[in-house]
Amino acid sequence: MRTRLPIAAACLLMAAACGGGEPAAPPPAVPPSGSAPATPAPVATGETDASPEWRVVPGARTRPSSALLDVAATGPGDAWAVGYERAAEDDEGRPTLQHWDGERWRLTRLDPAEVVHLEGVDARDPRDAWVVGHGRYAYAAHWDGARWTGHRPFGVAAEYNLTDVAVTREVTWLVAHSGTQGQVVAWDGQAFRRAFQADGYFQAVTASKGHVWAVGADAAVSSGTPSTPMVWHGKAEKGGAYSWQRGRTPDVPGGVLQAVWAVSPTDIWAVGSVTAPGGGAKTPLVLRSDGEAWWQVPVPVAAGELGGVTALAADDVFITGVDAAHSGQVLILRFDGGAWDTSYGPLLRREQENQQYPQSDDVGRTAVAQVPGTSRLWVAGAVGWGDEEDDFFLRRG
């Protein structure tokens, strides 16, 4: 199923935000159908036609209760994906690190005494990749083409969790959060230094040509204060120092940014979700920037959340997530510079009459990565919930 939203209509919907007025109210939520189907053969929630561009690719054999949270690639024969496995209600599980060698995904083991969850990965070339996550302490590890070397960027301070990483030739940027603050950490090839901190928390980071953007929300989840989207921009100055300025984002109560991608220093996209007051249904959130201001971009999906963004070009942007009306399949939004194209990945799991959780057939968080030099894309994520959670890969091209 494909729908298109012309950019002219999008601009009309954004008129209030662009004019400095109050942002338009989010579209009404479309709740997933949680009732048992009337026909004897159960089907996934809101099953719809799948795009033939996307196919499931087997991952490495992981243990039960597994999920993939991020994916990155340097070429057709080199990609990394991270997450966790063996999770339970009273156990965060063990780290999962998978490598694509051009033929298949293979597991790479890391010390579970150092890390239990890997949450972010990025790579510049086959000999320069980073993963981040947490165990007892915040954890980062670097791949030099032969081995992984683990680090504790915050030492033995236990309150920080690393959530994402962006690798450039000059600096590797890491973002983290504690109970009340977000942190940006820089690795210059020799040591880690705390580059910036702000109230709230950072969820994702991207960097391009002397610029870095860290995104998340201005209120920590544990604070109980309604959040609004938060973006901080770091710009390289003479001498290698960075100046930091908060992005002028629209006021979107309940908004949280989960992923960010810089097409260029003057074209940046960030995605996430908006939670209704009282913890109600989520609606997708897309923000775009010209390097100065940020504005909200409406998308043709009424309810759900977005977890990944990347681009092959300025007029070829891909966003992944979950459409609450078709929650058993990965949502793929593609922007061609003038309009949105909406499509869905293959059905990953069918709803069972006596399944353990209502979400056991739903797609969870998704991440997307481009394969440099090609039109290929990887999507990594998880389907199910709790003990029935399972990781997956989709590939385009």
Side-chain angles (χ1 to χ4, degrees), residues 1 32-33 43-49 323-329 344 347 351 361-362:
M1 183 177 86
S33 171
V43 296
T45 302
E47 183 178 356
T48 190
D49 293 340
D323 179 349
H326 308 290
S327 55
Q329 296 161 265
Y344 297 87
L347 180 67
E351 183 180 3
D361 61 309
D362 288 350

Side-chain angles (χ1 to χ4, degrees), residues 17-365:
C18 294
E22 293 296 321
V30 180
S33 171
S35 59
T39 56
V43 296
T45 302
E47 183 178 356
T48 190
D49 293 340
S51 168
E53 288 190 325
W54 295 88
R55 66 183 182 91
V56 176
V57 175
R61 187 184 297 274
T62 54
R63 294 160 183 166
S65 303
S66 61
L68 294 170
L69 303 180
D70 202 7
V71 60
T74 67
D78 183 54
W80 296 93
V82 298
Y84 58 84
E85 63 181 1
R86 294 177 60 185
E89 290 183 5
D90 57 349
D91 187 349
E92 288 194 273
R94 300 293 183 269
T96 287
L97 173 59
Q98 299 193 35
H99 181 249
W100 173 259
D101 60 9
E103 298 293 333
R104 64 174 181 167
W105 289 95
R106 302 173 185 268
L107 279 176
T108 298
R109 296 295 181 187
L110 295 176
D111 185 357
E114 287 292 321
V115 57
V116 294
H117 273 205
L118 290 173
E119 298 199 19
V121 60
D122 195 29
R124 188 173 62 86
D125 61 46
R127 294 182 296 177
D128 189 9
W130 283 84
V131 297
V132 298
H134 66 274
R136 184 177 180 185
Y137 309 109
Y139 175 86
H142 178 246
W143 171 254
D144 63 5
R147 65 184 59 83
W148 286 95
T149 301
H151 301 273
R152 294 177 181 175
F154 295 96
V156 294
E159 66 267 28
Y160 296 103
N161 288 340
L162 284 161
T163 55
D164 199 18
V165 57
V167 183
T168 71
R169 185 178 300 276
E170 296 80 16
V171 182
T172 293
W173 298 97
L174 302 83
V175 291
H177 61 79
S178 63
T180 59
Q181 285 193 324
Q183 296 275 347
V184 179
V185 177
W187 166 263
D188 61 8
Q190 300 296 324
F192 295 98
R193 61 179 176 83
R194 300 194 192 190
F196 181 74
Q197 66 181 29
D199 291 342
Y201 69 97
F202 292 126
Q203 194 67 33
V205 62
T206 190
S208 173
K209 301 177 182 177
H211 297 262
V212 57
W213 294 265
V215 305
D218 61 4
V221 174
S222 59
S223 70
T225 303
S227 65
T228 59
M230 183 172 72
V231 177
W232 280 90
H233 173 212
K235 182 180 179 181
E237 306 290 352
K238 290 183 179 180
Y242 276 73
S243 61
W244 293 87
Q245 183 176 11
R246 181 161 179 175
R248 291 181 284 125
T249 55
D251 184 16
V252 184
V256 175
L257 296 172
Q258 297 282 359
V260 61
W261 182 261
V263 182
S264 72
T266 57
D267 190 10
I268 310 100
W269 294 78
V271 304
S273 63
V274 180
T275 302
K282 292 184 178 181
T283 54
L285 176 62
V286 177
L287 300 184
R288 189 180 186 184
S289 174
D290 59 5
E292 297 292 337
W294 287 82
W295 60 90
Q296 188 171 356
V297 180
V299 293
V301 177
E305 54 187 314
L306 305 174
V309 58
T310 192
L312 301 178
D315 58 355
D316 203 6
V317 177
F318 286 82
I319 296 172
T320 60
V322 182
D323 179 349
H326 308 290
S327 55
Q329 296 161 265
V330 175
L331 165 70
I332 302 109
L333 295 170
R334 184 179 186 182
F335 182 69
D336 65 7
W340 290 103
D341 181 270
T342 304
S343 60
Y344 297 87
L347 180 67
L348 294 172
R349 183 180 290 174
R350 292 194 175 276
E351 183 180 3
Q352 301 297 314
E353 187 174 356
N354 296 314
Q355 64 189 31
Q356 186 175 5
Y357 306 102
Q359 307 96 327
S360 290
D361 61 309
D362 288 350
V363 174
R365 181 180 170 186

